[in-house]
Amino acid sequence: MLTSLQNPLVKQIRKLHSTKERQKQEMFLLEGTHLLEEACAVNHPLTALCCTPQWQAAHPLLWQEASSRSDRTEIVSPEILAAIATTIQPDGVVATLKRDYIQTPVPTAGLVLALETVQDPGNLGTIIRSAAAAGATGLWVSGDSVDLDNPKVLRASAGQWFRLAMAVSTDLKATVQQSQQQGMQVIATLPSATLTYWQVDWRKPSLILLGNEGAGLSPALAAMADTQVQIPLSPGVESLNVAIAASLMLYEARRQMTYQ
């Protein structure tokens, strides 16, 4: 059992709390039973798996399955588990995974999201959750958005993180242009638009552009859209949360594709 904070593996995992170290090590953290179950459900390989004796005893089948997918397994004390987790009250298990998800191809078909400078991990995780639930085919984030593998993003996705093709775009304008060339219509949300989001034919391959929580979409990206839409708001309401806006459009697209 690992009980020392000076253990090399413990030190390595603790460093993954920071964006810089996740990028440097090309690894990220997975915390909690539910996320581990989802990773195993899609056969995602693990690089290291750490749990307390209590967690192992309570989840023998999941421990066995996850262990078979992991390069290394360790039983750790509750104190060590608390040190390597980012949550205040971890439930007893932490794993590490390679960052090779960034190479997952996002299709230029179906229903795809492109997010510009989204900063809040809770928003990004919620968008991922809604996109997976609505049957979206993929998601792009700009390079200056919050990390896709930020621990809070994974938790906010409620496990759906593993079920959506996602990638970081180093040039979101080029990504949008490529999508257009492949036949996708590009839809941007702007408060000044005259069309509402339900007036779009979402049965066509579509790319939804969404911007920063405070500033919205940059003028350059908004100008690239084939169609600009608004989400009607009651008087006195300035805007919607970006994750709510994404969910409304995703489910209007799902409604049209299912019932029209």
Side-chain angles (χ1 to χ4, degrees):
M1 181 189 297
L2 298 184
T3 59
S4 172
L5 291 173
Q6 303 309 311
N7 179 275
L9 178 63
V10 174
K11 286 183 175 181
Q12 178 193 14
I13 295 177
R14 293 185 77 184
K15 288 180 179 179
L16 294 177
H17 292 195
S18 79
T19 298
K20 182 179 178 180
E21 280 294 329
R22 289 195 296 273
Q23 294 172 346
K24 180 180 177 181
Q25 295 187 37
E26 286 296 315
M27 303 238 285
F28 67 103
L29 280 174
L30 182 148
E31 302 177 54
T33 303
H34 180 56
L35 283 175
L36 183 61
E37 288 173 336
E38 291 296 330
C40 289
V42 296
N43 300 315
H44 202 295
L46 312 174
T47 54
L49 176 66
C50 300
C51 77
T52 62
Q54 295 88 343
W55 186 92
Q56 183 190 36
H59 303 88
L61 295 180
L62 182 56
W63 166 255
Q64 183 178 6
E65 183 177 5
S67 296
S68 69
R69 305 183 193 284
S70 183
D71 295 335
R72 178 175 178 178
T73 59
E74 295 287 350
I75 305 299
V76 302
S77 67
E79 292 77 17
I80 293 299
L81 198 287
I84 62 177
T86 63
T87 48
I88 297 174
Q89 293 183 316
D91 75 353
V93 65
V94 169
T96 61
L97 302 82
K98 292 181 180 178
R99 286 187 110 212
D100 53 5
Y101 70 88
I102 292 177
Q103 304 304 319
T104 302
V106 176
T108 51
L111 184 61
V112 178
L113 292 146
L115 311 180
E116 181 187 33
T117 323
V118 170
Q119 296 293 305
D120 185 89
N123 282 338
L124 179 53
T126 300
I127 291 170
I128 291 169
R129 183 178 185 180
S130 294
T137 50
L139 177 144
W140 290 100
V141 295
S142 61
D144 56 356
S145 292
V146 63
D147 288 345
L148 281 170
D149 56 27
N150 181 295
K152 292 181 180 178
V153 171
L154 270 80
R155 291 199 298 275
S157 77
Q160 299 311 306
W161 192 94
F162 294 99
R163 300 181 184 276
L164 187 68
M166 300 180 290
V168 177
S169 171
T170 55
D171 185 342
L172 203 55
K173 287 190 287 186
T175 298
V176 171
Q177 187 175 44
Q178 182 182 15
S179 299
Q180 287 173 316
Q181 291 170 349
Q182 295 295 319
M184 299 191 80
Q185 63 175 349
V186 176
I187 313 296
T189 53
L190 289 173
S192 59
T194 56
L195 289 177
T196 57
Y197 72 94
W198 58 74
Q199 292 175 294
V200 172
D201 184 356
W202 290 103
R203 293 169 296 180
K204 300 177 182 178
S206 303
L207 179 72
I208 300 173
L209 294 179
L210 292 165
N212 173 265
E213 290 88 347
L217 271 176
S218 66
L221 263 184
M224 295 184 70
D226 301 301
T227 305
Q228 297 179 351
V229 299
Q230 62 154 308
I231 298 174
L233 302 173
S234 295
V237 179
E238 185 178 335
S239 64
L240 280 179
N241 171 277
V242 65
I244 298 297
S247 298
L248 286 170
M249 289 187 289
L250 285 164
Y251 269 91
E252 173 59 19
R254 176 69 179 266
R255 184 192 70 80
Q256 289 188 19
M257 288 186 279
T258 303
Y259 299 109
Q260 289 189 13

